[in-house]
Amino acid sequence: MKHQFMKIKCLAVVWMFTGAFLAACDEDITVGEIDESTYETSEDTFGYLINNEGKRSMATVEFRDAGSSILYLGLSKDAKQNVSGKFRYNKAVLDAYNKAHETIYEAFPEELVTFAGDGAVALGTGESKSAGVAVSFVTKETLSRDVTYVIPVRAEVQAGGIQLSDEDSGYLLFVKDISKLPDCNKPTGIKIISCMEVNDTNPLNNLCFTLKNSEKPLVDMVILFSGNINYNNETGRVYVYNNPNVQHLLDNREKYLKPLQDRGMKIVLGILGNHDRSGVANLADETARIFARELKAVCDAYKLDGVFFDDEYSDYQTPPPPGFVKPSNNAAARLCYESKRAMPDKLICTYVYGATAYFPDPVDGVRSGEFIDYGIHDYGGGFDLEINYPGMPKSSMALYSQEFARESFAPEYVLKDLRDGGYGAHMIFAMDPNRSNFYRGQKPAMEKIAKVLFDDELVYDGKPYSKDW
């Protein structure tokens, strides 16, 4: 595969929405009158579980020594009478999930879990959300640093006449004990994402940069750019393809990837189109589910921390062949949703471009901001992404991305805007100390990041890694 750098796009966001509007107007739409007399509105009140981040059904928590998560009982409409119930540890919830998704997640030891107020939950007449119940947990020497455990919770309603389905009454907390691992967490909480063109750059270069005062690594996450989604003409299936450079890093993870993870960095595999009929935005629902399971197998095999979806370089076909659909934001959202369902403990990241730029509709009732961990802006993009991924917190939004190879550097004032606005991440692409523009461009850019985002000073050890494969 030749080098494929992400392209710089300069269109304003208003162009995107204007273009979408004009495209829609090109189609003839006939709207007839609909007889609504046969519609029925349910009088029942349905309950569900939700956490303090607005995520339903499941959430992921990393903790050191001890951790907690806040759960609430929500209602589809205001309670007509007082509601009372309890949250309890219930392994059957996890067993059902493992069976449905063909996974083998281990239950977190019940004796290490406590529920505030013995798990009691209550809502008064006219309320639609309970007070929060803290689910707390502690570490134990026997817990593995390499295993993601699950705390299965079941809500039991004792009074109040609300309906709770098996699915809505369960909640899965995927917890990872990182007490034995170093971390990259800086005081401001902002994450630096290093998306690396690994065809010619050694990812170990991320070890070269730390902060003087905190002594933390500058980089929190490394994206290997990029693996591909490919189509197999013989089997008719899509699969993960890695070019020789990416595959070499995966096959030699102990040398190239583990040292980064040992410093607390996350390793994420990019998934990009590769000039055939398959792409991240045209998989039929069942095809997306199958591909999501393959992505999980790849992440598990190479101990990766997640995937990054980028809708570029696909040759979408019209009409779509069997197993595919017309490329759309909804199809891209479905793949991301199925990937999160298949591996809730892994990061699901998207590039704000193409069909992954925005997911306006929920998937199976789940808002996209709940299953996308990071939305990463195209170069220079700095608007709030909540409209692109409904329900996404600011902590998951990566603003003002920089492209180091093409010298698209961010000035200090936009970094200050990122920090002052409460946004949680920033991406740099194609960082490489071996390039000719390192001292005049890349290093000053990272010094600005250290200064503006972390009130710190960049430390470069002067020992860059070359490509040695």
Side-chain angles (χ1 to χ4, degrees):
M1 176 195 293
K2 64 182 180 181
H3 292 206
Q4 293 177 320
F5 289 99
M6 296 183 191
K7 301 186 287 287
I8 300 177
K9 302 95 187 175
C10 302
L11 296 180
V13 65
V14 67
W15 289 20
M16 177 181 72
F17 289 111
T18 303
F21 174 77
L22 292 174
C25 292
D26 287 339
E27 300 179 4
D28 294 328
I29 302 174
T30 303
V31 180
E33 294 185 1
I34 299 175
D35 181 8
E36 299 183 358
S37 62
T38 59
Y39 289 4
E40 295 183 6
T41 302
S42 173
E43 296 297 324
D44 294 331
T45 302
F46 297 93
Y48 57 89
L49 274 66
I50 191 169
N51 80 339
N52 53 303
E53 296 178 329
K55 295 184 177 182
R56 292 174 59 166
S57 304
M58 62 182 67
T60 302
V61 180
E62 291 184 343
F63 72 100
R64 292 179 180 275
D65 300 324
S68 66
S69 185
I70 309 297
L71 296 183
Y72 304 83
L73 178 62
L75 303 181
S76 60
K77 60 180 69 175
D78 292 345
K80 297 180 180 179
Q81 56 184 296
N82 291 339
V83 177
S84 62
K86 271 197 170 185
F87 293 158
R88 301 182 186 274
Y89 184 106
N90 190 319
K91 189 173 178 296
V93 179
L94 175 58
D95 292 339
Y97 180 89
N98 278 334
K99 181 178 180 180
H101 296 275
E102 299 179 2
T103 52
I104 52 173
Y105 287 107
E106 295 183 38
F108 192 82
E110 183 175 1
E111 66 271 17
L112 303 181
V113 181
T114 57
F115 292 82
D118 197 30
V121 60
L123 296 90
T125 302
E127 294 181 336
S128 61
K129 185 179 178 180
S130 73
V133 174
V135 183
S136 301
F137 36 92
V138 297
T139 189
K140 189 177 182 180
E141 188 61 31
T142 55
L143 294 180
S144 171
R145 56 176 274 182
D146 299 319
V147 174
T148 299
Y149 298 92
V150 181
I151 299 175
V153 179
R154 174 79 75 191
E156 301 172 358
V157 175
Q158 298 160 335
I162 69 169
Q163 303 293 318
L164 265 178
S165 67
D166 285 344
E167 182 176 359
D168 289 332
S169 67
Y171 203 96
L172 298 174
L173 284 173
F174 291 80
V175 296
K176 189 172 181 64
D177 180 6
I178 58 173
S179 304
K180 304 178 181 70
L181 291 174
D183 69 75
C184 301
N185 299 332
K186 273 76 78 175
T188 61
I190 298 171
K191 306 297 184 185
I192 303 302
I193 301 168
S194 175
C195 188
M196 303 208 78
E197 171 57 80
V198 296
N199 283 340
D200 57 7
T201 303
N202 192 325
L204 291 175
N205 280 302
N206 290 282
L207 296 173
C208 297
F209 305 95
T210 55
L211 300 178
K212 182 177 180 180
N213 297 326
S214 70
E215 299 183 344
K216 300 280 189 175
L218 176 70
V219 171
D220 299 84
M221 181 196 308
V222 177
I223 297 176
L224 305 178
F225 192 80
S226 182
N228 299 103
I229 176 172
N230 269 32
Y231 178 76
N232 187 316
N233 288 298
E234 294 182 0
T235 65
R237 295 169 65 94
V238 292
Y239 65 99
V240 177
Y241 168 77
N242 297 309
N243 71 27
N245 293 294
V246 175
Q247 193 60 50
H248 183 86
L249 298 177
L250 297 178
D251 290 339
N252 296 275
R253 71 169 310 278
E254 293 291 321
K255 177 179 179 179
Y256 297 105
L257 305 182
K258 187 175 183 296
L260 302 175
Q261 292 174 319
D262 286 346
R263 292 294 303 277
M265 299 180 205
K266 305 293 187 185
I267 305 297
V268 170
L269 180 65
I271 297 296
L272 181 71
N274 196 19
H275 308 285
D276 68 15
R277 71 179 64 181
S278 64
V280 303
N282 74 332
L283 305 185
D285 289 0
E286 182 59 25
T287 309
R289 279 188 283 273
I290 293 172
F291 187 62
R293 288 198 289 268
E294 176 161 342
L295 288 172
K296 172 179 167 51
V298 171
C299 287
D300 289 346
Y302 297 108
K303 299 183 180 179
L304 303 174
D305 298 295
V307 293
F308 166 66
F309 292 109
D310 180 10
D311 180 31
E312 298 186 81
Y313 305 112
S314 291
D315 293 332
Y316 295 122
Q317 294 185 356
T318 303
F324 297 87
V325 296
K326 182 179 178 180
S328 68
N329 302 86
N330 287 339
R334 167 64 66 177
L335 174 58
C336 293
Y337 170 79
E338 295 296 347
S339 297
K340 193 63 175 179
R341 295 293 291 182
M343 44 183 177
D345 56 324
K346 304 297 183 182
L347 297 171
I348 305 299
C349 310
T350 55
Y351 191 42
V352 185
Y353 180 70
T356 55
Y358 63 95
F359 299 154
D361 297 319
V363 180
D364 293 352
V366 182
R367 297 178 302 171
S368 58
E370 298 180 32
F371 57 81
I372 302 299
D373 295 288
Y374 287 98
I376 302 174
H377 255 297
D378 192 14
Y379 306 122
F383 57 87
D384 191 289
L385 291 172
E386 205 279 335
I387 192 172
N388 295 56
Y389 310 106
M392 175 176 282
K394 287 187 174 183
S395 60
S396 294
M397 302 178 191
L399 274 59
Y400 301 115
S401 298
Q402 305 187 55
E403 215 283 26
F404 281 7
R406 296 183 178 178
E407 304 194 1
S408 174
F409 302 122
E412 286 191 16
Y413 73 89
V414 301
L415 296 175
K416 185 176 185 299
D417 179 69
L418 184 158
R419 179 174 174 176
D420 292 346
Y423 298 101
H426 177 65
M427 188 266 273
I428 58 176
F429 180 76
M431 180 273 287
D432 187 347
N434 299 290
R435 287 202 176 96
S436 60
N437 71 344
F438 175 70
Y439 284 101
R440 62 178 171 81
Q442 297 183 55
K443 186 169 179 284
M446 288 186 281
E447 289 171 342
K448 290 177 185 177
I449 291 173
K451 173 185 174 183
V452 179
L453 299 186
F454 305 117
D455 300 318
D456 215 324
E457 182 179 337
L458 182 75
V459 176
Y460 170 54
D461 66 8
K463 301 176 182 177
Y465 296 82
S466 62
K467 179 182 176 182
D468 59 359
W469 65 91

